[in-house]
């Protein structure tokens, strides 16, 4: 009989869990689980308080579900990754662990931690087994002709769809109930210590809730996603990102559930589905993080970015953070983020473009702020999105593309329904003026408690084009 340990990290689920499935293959083996919290490390990585709270509530849920399988989940609170390694060594020694099972993580510090764990546990006689559970397809199969990771999404997408067409991954079932180990007991935190600072109605707790959300989306919303996805006042997105970020549900599960609803696993479906495209973008950013570790160190993939003369205007940065720029769609997006810890994807692009291309503030400031507030914060996706908007990453939009907040607002929130929901000061402004409320205020001599635009959009656009063009040309020289 072997004693197997599952080390849970950002994979807080039972269904389609590779490491759990492997650890439970033999009915004779004893299986226990462990989660090590590292608050100091989380703080250093700008993990938001909402995501931490969301994580703790799901740990409680995971513990209860594991108990149904007679698997005990142990909990320990360390400070950082190095200290967590020390405890893991101690835990494995105390419990006489033979095999450790876990899923790979791709951020720089996490990869260094796992290398040390494997080295030290191997010396201790423990067999370490890691799995690429976050990926639909292993990076070794998604390479260009030069055996390099793709930097352009369209090429990456074509390659991975060709692979998926013939190798649709399977989801692992929840393992069967284990034999009861009467000697097992766990140390766990008190639920009374957790601050509930996220909206449980919007983000319900538990793997079952996440699976139900996926089912409803795939059955009733997925086919209309392309038409409705850009309108933030509609309930048209899956809202699964917080669950995906903590591994409460897997990308594989999302892919397979969607294809089952379509009842047609064809190349055309894989290419044309706008929602599956979002799943593939997640995959793309993970592959980039693996291939280019410098992403974890706030370095852009475009070398010419170092020649951009970023602004350090604190007044502008704070106005952007607080949602007081005078551009309603930008401010509504930022206030949604500050209130819910989540922002509609289209608004993430608009607000990011505004900070970088109009206020000319370093994209890293925006990346940190988003991470420190998002309930679905994920380094690979957040960094990838910011570098994309700043035109300094892989597959980046041309630097000449700058989102016009007023035009975007008219396209995605024509009647101002979303704007008025998050900016109550503008509820009395007529719909035709909601995108430029100060114009209505001046015409009608009606004072509104909302700031005038902090910049002139057209002037800021011209300035950004000059600065970005100069940075690129000077690099070429």
């Amino acid at each position: 009989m072997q004693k197997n340990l599952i080390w849970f990290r950002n994979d807080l689920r039972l269904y389609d869990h590779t490491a759990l499935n492997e650890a439970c293959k033999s009915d004779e083996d004893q299986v226990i689980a462990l989660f090590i919290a590292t608050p100091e490390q989380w703080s250093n990585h700008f993990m938001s308080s909402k995501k931490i709270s969301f994580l703790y509530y799901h740990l409680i849920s995971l513990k209860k579900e594991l108990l149904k399988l007679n698997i005990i989940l142990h909990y320990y609170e360390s400070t950082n990754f190095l200290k967590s390694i020390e405890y893991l060594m101690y835990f494995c020694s105390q419990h006489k662990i033979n095999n450790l099972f876990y899923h790979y993580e791709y951020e720089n510090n996490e990869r260094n931690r796992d290398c040390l764990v494997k080295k030290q546990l191997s010396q201790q006689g423990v067999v370490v087994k890691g799995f690429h559970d976050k990926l639909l397809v292993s990076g070794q199969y998604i390479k260009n002709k030069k055996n390099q990771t793709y930097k352009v999404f369209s090429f990456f997408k074509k390659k991975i769809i060709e692979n998926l067409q013939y190798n649709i991954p399977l989801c692992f079932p929840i393992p069967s109930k284990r034999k009861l180990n009467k000697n097992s007991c766990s140390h766990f935190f008190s639920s009374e210590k957790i601050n509930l600072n996220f909206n449980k109605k919007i983000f319900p707790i538990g793997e079952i809730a996440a699976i139900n959300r996926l089912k409803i989306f795939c059955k009733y919303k997925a086919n209309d996603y392309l038409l409705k996805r850009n309108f933030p006042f509609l309930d048209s997105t899956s809202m699964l990102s917080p669950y995906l970020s903590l591994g409460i549900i897997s990308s594989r599960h999302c892919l397979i559930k969607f294809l089952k609803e379509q009842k047609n696993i064809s190349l055309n479906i894989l290419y044309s589905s706008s929602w599956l495209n979002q799943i593939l973008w997640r995959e793309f950013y993970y592959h980039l993080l693996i291939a280019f570790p410098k992403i974890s160190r706030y370095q852009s993939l475009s070398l010419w970015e170092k020649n951009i003369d970023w602004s350090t205007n604190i007044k502008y940065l704070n106005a952007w953070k607080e949602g007081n720029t005078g551009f309603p769609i930008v401010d509504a997006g930022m206030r949604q983020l500050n209130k819910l810890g989540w922002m509609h994807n289209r608004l993430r692009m608009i607000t990011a473009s505004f900070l970088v291309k109009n206020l000319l503030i370093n994209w890293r400031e925006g990346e940190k702020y988003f991470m420190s507030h998002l309930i679905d914060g994920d380094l690979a996706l957040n960094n990838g999105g910011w570098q994309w908007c700043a035109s300094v990453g892989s597959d980046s939009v041309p630097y000449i593309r700058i989102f016009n907040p007023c035009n975007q607002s008219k396209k995605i929130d024509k009647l101002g329904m979303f704007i008025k929901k998050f900016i109550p000061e503008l509820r009395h402004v007529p719909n035709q003026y909601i995108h430029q409320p100060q114009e209505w205020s001046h015409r009608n001599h009606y004072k509104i408690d909302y700031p005038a635009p902090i910049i002139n959009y057209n002037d800021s656009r011209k300035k950004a084009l000059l600065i970005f063009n100069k940075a690129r040309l000077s690099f070429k020289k």
Side-chain angles (χ1 to χ4, degrees):
M1 184 186 75
Q2 298 282 295
K3 200 165 187 181
N4 300 334
L5 173 65
I6 307 159
W7 184 13
F8 280 95
R9 286 102 76 95
N10 286 322
D11 47 7
L12 308 183
R13 65 181 185 277
L14 301 188
Y15 182 72
D16 192 33
H17 195 288
T18 309
L20 177 63
N21 183 75
E22 290 293 322
C24 295
K25 271 190 171 180
S26 172
D27 292 336
E28 299 302 318
D29 289 348
Q30 184 182 339
V31 179
I32 58 176
L34 173 66
F35 184 91
I36 306 176
T38 54
E40 182 183 294
Q41 198 83 38
W42 294 342
S43 177
N44 291 339
H45 291 174
F46 301 99
M47 187 172 172
S48 77
S49 60
K50 284 183 171 59
K51 183 173 181 179
I52 291 173
S53 179
F54 195 60
L55 181 153
Y56 278 129
Y57 273 92
H58 276 89
L59 275 178
I60 294 172
S61 176
L62 178 66
K63 181 187 179 186
K64 292 176 181 176
E65 294 304 311
L66 283 168
L67 278 175
K68 295 177 183 178
L69 305 181
N70 284 332
I71 296 176
I72 303 296
L73 176 62
H74 298 258
Y75 171 87
Y76 181 76
E77 187 167 303
S78 185
T79 52
N80 54 44
F81 286 162
L82 286 176
K83 292 293 183 182
S84 71
I85 294 173
E86 292 177 10
Y87 180 76
L88 184 61
M89 300 299 115
Y90 167 79
F91 186 91
C92 288
S93 176
Q94 288 293 106
H95 291 267
K96 297 180 173 57
I97 299 298
N98 301 108
N99 305 288
L100 173 68
F101 298 81
Y102 66 88
H103 295 147
Y104 293 121
E105 293 185 316
Y106 306 119
E107 297 84 352
N108 191 59
N109 290 334
E110 283 81 345
R111 287 164 77 171
N112 291 337
R113 172 202 60 197
D114 291 350
C115 283
L116 280 172
V117 164
K118 186 169 185 177
K119 181 180 178 181
Q120 294 186 26
L121 277 182
S122 296
Q123 294 173 351
Q124 201 169 298
V126 178
V127 177
V128 178
K129 301 179 181 181
F131 305 92
H132 287 289
D133 186 75
K134 266 190 177 182
L135 304 180
L136 293 172
V137 181
S138 174
Q140 62 181 319
Y141 300 116
I142 313 298
K143 301 285 188 181
N144 61 23
K145 292 180 180 179
K146 295 182 180 179
N147 199 35
Q148 298 171 332
T149 298
Y150 287 100
K151 286 187 176 183
V152 177
F153 176 70
S154 57
F155 297 140
F156 172 86
K157 179 180 177 179
K158 181 180 179 181
K159 183 73 172 182
I160 196 170
I161 286 178
E162 288 174 358
N163 191 287
L164 288 171
Q165 173 73 0
Y166 302 103
N167 298 286
I168 294 291
L170 299 175
C171 284
F172 296 107
I174 297 175
S176 57
K177 194 172 184 178
R178 316 295 299 174
K179 294 178 182 177
L180 181 63
N181 182 11
K182 297 180 181 179
N183 297 322
S184 293
C185 61
S186 69
H187 301 286
F188 224 71
F189 57 87
S190 170
S191 59
E192 296 176 359
K193 295 181 179 180
I194 309 172
N195 294 320
L196 178 63
N197 60 357
F198 64 92
N199 191 320
K200 287 178 74 174
K201 290 184 178 179
I202 298 176
F203 305 111
I205 299 301
E207 182 180 353
I208 294 173
I211 292 173
N212 287 337
R213 176 165 287 187
L214 173 64
K215 289 179 180 177
I216 292 170
F217 176 80
C218 289
K219 189 168 185 177
Y220 300 108
K221 299 181 181 180
N223 289 333
D224 293 331
Y225 181 75
L226 178 61
L227 295 174
K228 298 180 178 180
R229 64 174 182 158
N230 286 329
F231 302 102
F233 57 88
L234 295 177
D235 180 20
S236 58
T237 62
S238 70
M239 297 291 284
L240 285 168
S241 55
Y243 303 94
L244 284 163
S245 72
L246 287 176
I248 298 159
I249 199 167
S250 71
S251 293
R252 280 190 303 272
H253 192 176
C254 292
L255 171 68
I256 292 171
K257 183 61 182 176
F258 175 83
L259 293 176
K260 283 183 177 179
E261 282 296 329
Q262 300 302 308
K263 299 180 176 61
N264 180 14
I265 305 175
S266 69
L267 209 59
N268 184 52
I269 290 292
L270 292 169
Y271 267 119
S272 62
S273 169
S274 183
W275 186 64
L276 281 189
N277 207 52
Q278 301 302 310
I279 298 296
L280 296 183
W281 269 104
R282 295 180 68 89
E283 184 86 359
F284 177 56
Y285 284 140
Y286 285 134
H287 282 248
L288 285 177
L289 185 59
I290 295 169
F292 304 102
K294 68 178 184 178
I295 289 174
S296 293
R297 301 190 293 273
Y298 301 108
Q299 295 181 35
S300 62
L301 293 179
S302 297
L303 298 177
W304 61 269
E305 189 247 339
K306 64 183 180 181
N307 294 330
I308 297 177
D309 185 19
W310 295 113
S311 170
T312 56
N313 191 315
I314 299 299
K315 181 180 177 181
Y316 283 178
L317 178 60
N318 287 337
W320 177 82
K321 289 179 177 179
E322 295 163 4
N324 286 313
T325 67
F327 291 84
I329 197 66
V330 173
D331 295 339
M334 294 304 296
R335 294 188 190 190
Q336 182 185 43
L337 171 66
N338 292 335
K339 182 177 181 179
L340 302 181
W342 184 87
M343 191 195 296
H344 188 277
N345 186 57
R346 188 69 181 180
L347 297 178
R348 297 189 195 202
M349 291 190 284
I350 294 170
T351 55
S353 174
F354 186 81
L355 181 75
V356 176
K357 301 282 182 66
N358 298 112
L359 301 184
L360 283 170
I361 291 174
N362 197 316
W363 59 269
R364 296 167 182 83
E365 294 292 337
E367 182 194 10
K368 291 175 186 176
Y369 190 77
F370 270 28
M371 279 298 290
S372 66
H373 285 72
L374 286 170
I375 194 171
D376 62 359
D378 183 300
L379 187 146
L381 277 63
N382 188 48
N383 179 281
W386 274 97
Q387 292 207 36
W388 185 89
C389 286
S391 302
V392 298
S394 63
D395 202 68
S396 55
V397 295
Y399 72 91
I400 59 173
R401 181 179 179 182
I402 302 174
F403 286 97
N404 183 316
C406 186
N407 290 345
Q408 288 291 317
S409 187
K410 291 174 182 178
K411 286 180 181 178
I412 68 174
D413 192 27
K414 186 176 181 179
L415 300 179
M417 295 171 65
F418 179 80
I419 289 171
K420 291 181 178 182
K421 178 179 180 180
F422 285 96
I423 309 180
E425 308 95 287
L426 301 180
R427 284 178 181 168
H428 300 296
V429 176
N431 293 342
Q432 63 266 37
Y433 290 103
I434 192 62
H435 312 290
Q436 295 173 300
Q438 291 296 340
E439 183 180 333
W440 174 77
S441 175
H442 293 321
R443 284 190 179 188
N444 294 275
H445 306 289
Y446 185 93
K447 187 175 181 181
I448 53 176
D449 186 24
Y450 181 70
I454 59 175
I455 56 166
N456 179 288
Y457 170 77
N458 290 326
D459 291 344
S460 70
R461 185 179 187 279
K462 292 176 183 177
K463 185 177 180 181
L465 291 174
L466 286 172
I467 289 176
F468 273 71
N469 190 46
K470 181 181 178 181
R472 288 173 65 91
L473 291 175
S474 60
F475 176 75
K476 290 179 180 178
K477 291 179 181 179

